């Protein structure tokens, strides 16, 4: 929390500092710059105080937070009332944001900032209505694994505290719809026109681009554009706002000849458009910057992009200070800052060249030098944009499109045509539907070109660079070096030879390895929180590879996409050497099936998807239908399949993995036939047991009789009382047990009887339900455990 406060304060101070230098006149008396410097210092001091107050207010727990903590629950049946502030149609129904909500429980009434409501689509609500309702209030899911998306932080950035699945409701007051209500109706009407004019996929993409409505955006298109580095075209950005605003401004300038009138109405139209599209961070930034440009134009002053960017940041952070940590906010502002800095370098270069032309005879340049200069000018802004955004991409998405710069050079010239064609299609549909269908054809072919270009570049070697999530110090060092590079570029602009000026921009790519996630020395085993299920990722030392044991959940849908894959990418693990599945229960293999499904047939290396080289299965489970289905999918993808029985051994570097169970001919229930794996590294030992119980436990006890015991035990069957018997603990003698289970699961895992047996055996235990992911690390013969979330054990 202290780190977040400091970052918010720093952002506010930097933004106000930039604001102090905005709209400078061309001719200013000498005392004015000194005065502005003093004003800037005072504004920075004020920003420190304001930023501190805003940050502390945003991070302070609400009374409802404290109440739920006392109850040790994240959901509660409540009644509540408030005013509808936003409405959004989704593929599952309708969602609404309730502001100034009062939540009532048997213990009292609690106030919250905003609630996110989920309702049925047929319910007739309008913005401005006051409602009284009942439903199940639930906290947003926090990240319990490294790399997992943090829904709680995402919604807190937008001032939304909780979500509610509404059961019953009634309107208690019909406030006026106001501007928001009218804009919502207009947005729904425009979305309907696009649905009529275009086919399903095209309509979903166009609604996301023009209206900020991503409810119908095809997931495969979103993923394709994101991996390729052009996800920005799916968001309402400065391009859309500037196209609309400048069209209105120029039209009114011709009609009225008045700067103030045309500027005022141009800004008003863009502000209304920003509200219509949902007032996203990028849209608000674009509206504020457009307004700053109009104001500078009306006052006859110089527009400064970086100052306008700082002003937009101040206004957004004043309303929602936690927005600083949102990926969309960071990408939007770093992109504009990169463009602004590139333009600054170009401006200084142009000034220097003008001075040279006025002072000395013009030098005759060769074709090679002219080509180098042209290349520098062509790639300067795209390179600066990518360089500024790269740390944000690495931190949030763990990968970087290597050919994103070239792809953007292809698609950006068509963006204006795409926006105009789509707007014309909407207008045409309003007049005559076949006309709208005809006009949307241009948009269809541009989108088809976009998709084809993305697929082409993704097939090139090294199309996606897996960076993992860098450490905070790496990001700070990257930006420090980038700032130094910028200052040197400004100083040497025009003074160096053209080929040197061209090459220095490409030197930015050398900063890329600085943002790679580098694994720690030694051995790491991560027991991931996948809800009610098992998923273990072992990173072997000295580049020996990655081994996973199980991967699935019965309580978290798409556990592979939401839990396992993000962890692997954040740790920069693009390839799994061995993926072992202990037995055929879905809560142990469903995520592995997702890994196989997202692979390309015959995939070699990382192309945006994690690759499995070898799938290991229990020989005793070969006849199970689920196992056979997994084998078929693996063979289709070109993955090697192996079968494990007792005595099989895998040696990977200094790590030895030995299968202890089941042996040849073992007959038992699915759980009893779970693969039991012994892992040894640097004198430390771990025992991984799947859902082992009954006769399987007895067989392992006989195999371990007289052995040296284990340091870490993965407690079998999620801590069920039917496993981890006293005899088994006596044979294993673990110092630490890790229990993988879901919070408040329906089975009551871990059972109190199992915990009592562990404690009686002198074994400490950690549960993923309480602690999130548990990381066991071995280095220099020492072993210790860390938790993603605070734990009392």
């Amino acid at each position: 929390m202290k780190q977040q406060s400091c970052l918010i304060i720093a952002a506010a101070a930097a933004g106000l500092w930039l604001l102090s230098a905005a709209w400078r006149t061309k001719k200013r008396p000498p005392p004015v710059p000194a005065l502005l410097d003093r004003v800037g210092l005072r504004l920075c001091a004020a920003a420190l105080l304001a930023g501190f107050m805003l940050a502390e207010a945003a991070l302070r727990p609400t009374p409802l937070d404290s109440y739920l903590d006392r109850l040790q629950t994240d959901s509660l049946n409540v009644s509540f009332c408030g005013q509808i502030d936003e409405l959004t149609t989704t593929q599952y129904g309708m969602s609404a944001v309730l502001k100034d909500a009062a939540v009532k429980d048997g213990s009292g009434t609690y106030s919250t900032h905003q609630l996110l409501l989920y309702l049925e689509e047929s319910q007739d609500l309008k913005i401005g209505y006051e409602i009284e309702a009942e439903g199940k209030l639930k906290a947003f899911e926090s990240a319990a694994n490294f790399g997992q998306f943090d829904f709680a932080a995402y919604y807190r950035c937008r001032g939304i505290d909780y979500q509610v699945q509404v059961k019953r409701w009634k309107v208690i007051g019909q406030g006026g719809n106001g501007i928001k209500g009218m804009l919502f109706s207009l947005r729904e009407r425009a979305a309907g026109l696009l649905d009529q004019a275009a086919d399903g996929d095209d309509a979903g993409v166009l609604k996301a681009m023009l209206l900020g409505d991503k409810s119908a955006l095809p997931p495969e298109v979103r993923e394709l554009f994101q991996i390729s580095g052009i996800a920005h075209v799916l968001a309402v950005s400065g391009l859309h706002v500037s196209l609309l605003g400048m069209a209105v401004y120029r039209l009114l300038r011709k009609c009225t000849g008045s700067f103030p009138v045309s500027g005022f109405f141009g800004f008003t139209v863009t502000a209304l458009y920003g509200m219509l599209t949902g007032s996203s961070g990028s849209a608000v930034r674009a509206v504020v910057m457009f307004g700053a440009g109009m104001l500078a134009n009306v006052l006859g002053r110089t527009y400064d992009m970086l100052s306008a960017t700082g002003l937009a940041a101040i206004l957004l952070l004043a309303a929602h200070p936690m927005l600083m940590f949102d990926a969309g906010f960071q990408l939007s502002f770093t992109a504009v800052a990169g463009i602004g800095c590139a333009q600054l370098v170009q401006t200084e270069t142009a000034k220097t060249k003008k001075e040279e032309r006025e002072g000395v005879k013009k030098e005759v340049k060769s074709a090679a030098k002219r080509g180098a200069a042209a290349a520098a000018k062509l790639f300067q802004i795209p390179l600066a944009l990518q360089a500024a955004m790269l740390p944000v991409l690495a931190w949030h998405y763990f990968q970087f499109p290597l050919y994103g710069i070239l792809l953007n050079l292809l698609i950006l010239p068509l963006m204006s045509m795409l926006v105009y064609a789509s707007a014309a299609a909407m207008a045409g549909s309003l007049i005559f539907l076949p006309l709208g269908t005809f006009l949307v054809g241009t948009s269809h072919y541009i989108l088809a070109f976009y998709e084809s270009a993305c697929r082409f570049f993704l097939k090139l070697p090294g199309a996606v660079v897996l960076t993992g999530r860098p450490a905070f110090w790496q990001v700070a060092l990257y930006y420090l070096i980038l700032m130094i590079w910028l200052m040197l570029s400004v100083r040497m602009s025009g003074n160096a030879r053209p080929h040197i000026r061209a090459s220095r921009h490409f030197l930015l790519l050398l900063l890329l390895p600085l943002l790679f996630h580098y694994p720690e020395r030694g051995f790491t085993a991560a027991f991931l929180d996948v809800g009610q299920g098992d998923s273990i990722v072992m990173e072997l030392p000295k580049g020996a590879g990655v081994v996973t044991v199980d991967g699935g959940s019965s309580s978290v849908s798409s556990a592979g996409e939401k839990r396992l894959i993000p962890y692997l990418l954040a740790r920069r693990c693009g390839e799994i050497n061995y993926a072992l599945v202990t037995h055929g229960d879905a809560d142990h293999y469903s995520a592995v099936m997702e890994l196989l499904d997202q692979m390309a047939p015959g995939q070699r290396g990382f192309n945006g998807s994690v690759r499995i080289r070898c799938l290991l299965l229990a020989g005793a489970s070969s006849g199970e239908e689920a196992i056979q289905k997994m084998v078929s999918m693996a063979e289709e993808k070109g993955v090697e399949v192996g079968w494990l029985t007792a005595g099989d051994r895998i040696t990977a570097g200094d790590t030895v993995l030995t299968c202890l169970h089941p042996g040849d001919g073992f007959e038992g229930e699915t759980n009893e036939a779970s693969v039991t794996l012994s892992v040894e590294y640097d004198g430390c030992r771990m025992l991984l047991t799947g859902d082992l119980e009954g006769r399987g436990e007895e067989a392992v006890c006989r195999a371990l009789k007289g052995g040296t015991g284990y340091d870490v035990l993965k407690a079998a069957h999620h801590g069920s009382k039917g496993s981890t018997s006293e005899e088994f603990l006596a044979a294993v003698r673990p110092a630490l047990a890790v229990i993988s289970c879901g919070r408040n699961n329906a089975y009551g895992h871990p059972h109190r009887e199992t915990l009592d047996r562990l404690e009686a055996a002198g074994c400490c235990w950690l549960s993923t339900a309480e602690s999130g992911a548990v990381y066991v690390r071995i280095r220099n013969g020492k072993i210790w455990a860390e938790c993603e979330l605070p734990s009392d054990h």
Side-chain angles (χ1 to χ4, degrees):
M1 291 176 64
K2 291 181 179 179
Q3 183 185 40
Q4 292 176 347
S5 300
C6 292
L7 287 175
I8 293 174
I9 293 168
L16 286 173
W17 184 275
L18 288 171
L19 178 62
S20 68
W23 305 308
R24 298 180 177 178
T25 57
K26 294 182 179 179
K27 295 182 179 180
R28 178 179 292 142
V32 175
L35 174 64
L36 273 180
D37 288 340
R38 291 195 295 272
V39 172
L41 290 174
R42 290 168 184 159
L43 287 175
C44 282
L48 292 175
L49 178 61
F52 177 78
M53 295 173 63
L54 289 171
E56 291 302 316
L59 296 170
R60 192 180 303 128
T62 65
L64 186 55
D65 293 334
S66 303
Y67 177 59
L68 291 177
D69 286 341
R70 290 197 301 273
L71 294 180
Q72 295 185 344
T73 182
D74 58 357
S75 62
L76 198 65
N77 290 317
V78 298
S79 60
F80 56 93
C81 60
Q83 186 181 47
I84 301 294
D85 189 52
E86 295 179 21
L87 281 173
T88 305
T89 302
T90 70
Q91 56 183 331
Y92 304 107
M94 180 171 287
S95 66
V97 174
L98 198 71
K99 70 175 183 179
D100 301 327
V103 178
K104 301 177 183 178
D105 180 63
S107 64
T109 302
Y110 303 90
S111 61
T112 63
H113 300 98
Q114 295 184 116
L115 296 177
L116 180 62
L117 312 182
Y118 294 105
L119 311 104
E120 295 180 5
E121 187 177 7
S122 60
Q123 294 173 337
D124 185 18
L125 281 178
K126 295 183 179 180
I127 293 176
Y129 279 15
E130 293 184 6
I131 67 168
E132 190 176 78
E134 297 178 5
K136 187 172 184 179
L137 179 142
K138 189 175 182 181
F140 292 103
E141 183 180 40
S142 298
N145 303 285
F146 184 70
Q148 181 184 341
F149 185 78
D150 196 328
F151 284 96
Y154 174 82
Y155 284 104
R156 283 295 173 94
C157 287
R158 288 154 180 78
I160 298 176
D161 297 324
Y162 294 95
Q163 57 184 323
V164 181
Q165 188 66 48
V166 177
K167 298 178 181 177
R168 291 176 294 275
W169 63 274
K170 64 178 180 180
V171 177
I172 59 175
Q174 296 187 4
N177 288 340
I179 296 177
K180 275 192 174 182
M182 291 186 291
L183 291 176
F184 175 75
S185 300
L186 180 60
R187 179 184 181 183
E188 293 294 294
R189 175 62 172 155
L193 292 174
L194 283 176
D195 284 329
Q196 293 176 3
D199 62 29
D201 287 352
D202 285 351
V205 175
L206 295 177
K207 285 191 291 184
M209 293 175 53
L210 298 178
L211 305 175
D213 179 8
K214 298 184 180 181
S215 60
L217 181 63
E220 59 275 9
V221 175
R222 183 201 301 265
E223 183 179 0
L224 177 65
F225 281 25
Q226 180 175 312
I227 294 176
S228 303
I230 62 168
H232 55 86
V233 305
L234 299 175
V236 177
S237 62
L239 176 64
H240 305 70
V241 172
S242 61
L243 287 175
L244 176 63
M246 290 306 297
V248 174
Y249 174 76
R250 288 170 180 171
L251 177 63
L252 291 176
R253 278 281 294 117
K254 289 184 178 180
C255 296
T256 65
S258 171
F259 282 101
V261 171
S262 54
F264 173 76
F265 281 102
F267 174 72
T268 301
V269 170
T270 58
L272 292 175
Y273 178 66
M275 293 175 63
L276 180 143
T277 58
S279 299
S280 64
S282 59
V284 173
R285 173 195 58 73
V287 170
V288 172
M289 294 182 67
F290 182 82
M294 291 293 99
L295 182 59
N297 196 11
V298 170
L299 297 178
R301 300 200 172 197
T302 303
Y303 170 75
D304 181 69
M305 176 182 286
L306 294 177
S307 299
T309 304
L311 174 62
I314 292 168
L315 296 177
L316 276 169
L317 293 177
H320 300 294
M322 297 301 295
L323 200 61
M324 177 61 151
F325 308 101
D326 179 65
F329 177 91
Q330 294 172 0
L331 286 172
S332 177
F333 278 87
T334 53
V336 175
I339 294 173
C341 291
Q343 290 181 346
L344 177 64
V345 174
Q346 288 182 344
T347 302
E348 294 299 324
T349 303
K351 290 180 180 178
T352 305
K353 287 183 177 180
K354 182 179 179 181
E355 293 172 358
E356 289 177 352
R357 286 196 300 268
E358 292 175 352
V360 298
K361 185 178 179 180
K362 186 175 180 181
E363 178 187 359
V364 179
K365 296 181 179 180
S366 65
K369 290 182 178 180
R370 291 196 301 270
K377 187 175 181 180
L378 177 64
F379 285 97
Q380 189 172 42
I381 288 181
L383 274 171
L385 186 146
Q386 292 290 352
M389 294 171 57
L390 183 55
V392 181
L393 294 172
W395 182 273
H396 292 285
Y397 303 109
F398 324 128
Q399 52 193 2
F400 172 72
L402 186 61
Y403 306 108
I405 297 173
L406 298 176
L407 183 57
N408 276 284
L409 286 175
L410 285 178
I411 67 161
L412 288 179
L414 297 175
M415 277 296 297
S416 299
M417 185 184 300
L418 178 60
V419 171
Y420 284 133
S422 304
M426 280 193 294
S429 300
L430 188 61
I431 300 171
F432 185 52
L433 182 58
L435 175 62
T437 304
F438 172 77
L439 293 175
V440 85
T442 302
S443 302
H444 168 78
Y445 288 110
I446 294 176
L447 292 177
F449 171 74
Y450 281 6
E451 292 189 31
S452 300
C454 289
R455 298 186 193 283
F456 169 77
F457 279 101
L458 285 179
K459 291 180 181 178
L460 298 178
V464 182
V465 179
L466 181 61
T467 62
R469 172 171 286 175
F472 182 78
W473 69 264
Q474 291 176 269
V475 175
L477 180 60
Y478 177 95
Y479 277 123
L480 177 61
I481 296 175
L482 199 61
M483 290 175 62
I484 296 173
W485 176 91
L486 175 64
M487 290 187 291
L488 292 177
S489 295
V490 172
R491 291 180 65 88
M492 68 180 294
S493 294
N495 297 322
R497 294 181 179 181
H499 64 278
I500 296 178
R501 292 201 300 268
S503 62
R504 78 174 188 271
H505 301 305
F506 292 93
L507 292 177
L508 290 175
L509 297 177
L510 298 179
L511 290 177
L512 179 60
L514 182 60
L515 295 177
F516 285 169
H517 173 87
Y518 296 100
E520 301 89 351
R521 292 185 295 108
F523 173 97
T524 299
F527 299 80
L528 300 184
D529 177 9
V530 289
Q532 187 64 16
D534 267 12
S535 184
I536 305 169
V537 179
M538 295 185 289
E539 296 176 61
L540 309 185
K542 300 180 181 179
V546 176
V547 177
T548 63
V549 179
D550 287 331
S553 177
S554 60
S555 62
V556 176
S557 60
S558 303
E561 176 187 353
K562 298 176 181 177
R563 306 292 177 91
L564 178 55
I565 294 177
Y567 176 81
L568 291 168
L569 296 181
R571 298 288 295 182
R572 201 163 157 240
C573 301
E575 183 177 77
I576 299 173
N577 298 73
Y578 298 99
L580 189 152
V581 177
T582 58
H583 61 294
D585 283 352
D587 60 339
H588 290 254
Y589 72 77
S590 61
V592 178
M593 293 288 281
E594 291 182 54
L595 282 172
L596 291 171
D597 184 61
Q598 52 94 47
M599 284 180 59
Q603 177 180 330
R604 295 291 181 268
F606 181 78
N607 65 349
S609 302
V610 179
R611 174 196 176 201
I612 297 176
R613 295 182 61 182
C614 181
L615 178 66
L616 297 177
L617 305 166
S621 305
S622 58
E624 296 182 19
E625 181 180 353
I627 297 296
Q628 288 299 321
K629 183 179 179 180
M630 200 181 312
V631 170
S632 299
M633 182 176 288
E635 291 176 346
E636 289 176 4
K637 303 292 185 176
V639 176
E640 181 184 353
V641 178
W643 302 92
L644 286 176
T645 56
D648 289 342
R649 175 173 294 188
I650 299 173
T651 301
D654 297 333
T655 308
V656 179
L657 301 92
T658 305
C659 178
L660 302 181
H661 177 78
D664 286 331
F666 178 85
E667 295 182 0
E669 299 294 333
T670 299
N671 287 349
E672 294 177 335
S674 291
V675 170
T676 301
L677 194 68
S678 173
V679 182
E680 300 180 49
Y681 171 73
D682 200 11
C684 300
R685 308 179 75 200
M686 290 195 307
L687 188 65
L688 310 179
T689 56
D691 277 355
L692 187 70
E693 60 185 5
R695 286 185 292 173
E697 250 191 27
E698 295 172 2
V700 173
C701 283
R702 290 193 295 270
L704 296 179
K705 188 175 181 180
T708 57
Y710 286 84
D711 300 288
V712 180
L713 167 69
K714 202 290 291 186
H717 204 183
H718 321 291
S720 168
K721 62 183 177 182
S723 62
T724 319
S725 63
E726 294 178 357
E727 293 79 7
F728 183 77
L729 289 173
V732 177
R733 302 193 299 279
L736 170 68
V738 180
I739 303 171
S740 181
C741 60
R743 187 177 184 184
N744 300 323
N745 63 83
Y747 306 97
H749 294 156
H751 290 152
R752 187 66 251 178
E753 296 90 331
T754 303
L755 300 181
D756 290 341
R757 289 197 292 268
L758 290 170
E759 292 170 0
C763 177
C764 300
W765 59 271
L766 291 169
S767 167
T768 59
E770 296 181 2
S771 308
V774 177
Y775 309 107
V776 175
R777 309 187 193 281
I778 303 174
R779 186 185 299 173
N780 299 327
K782 297 180 180 180
I783 183 168
W784 70 94
E786 298 175 356
C787 303
E788 187 71 24
L789 304 176
S791 176
D792 297 330
H793 299 284

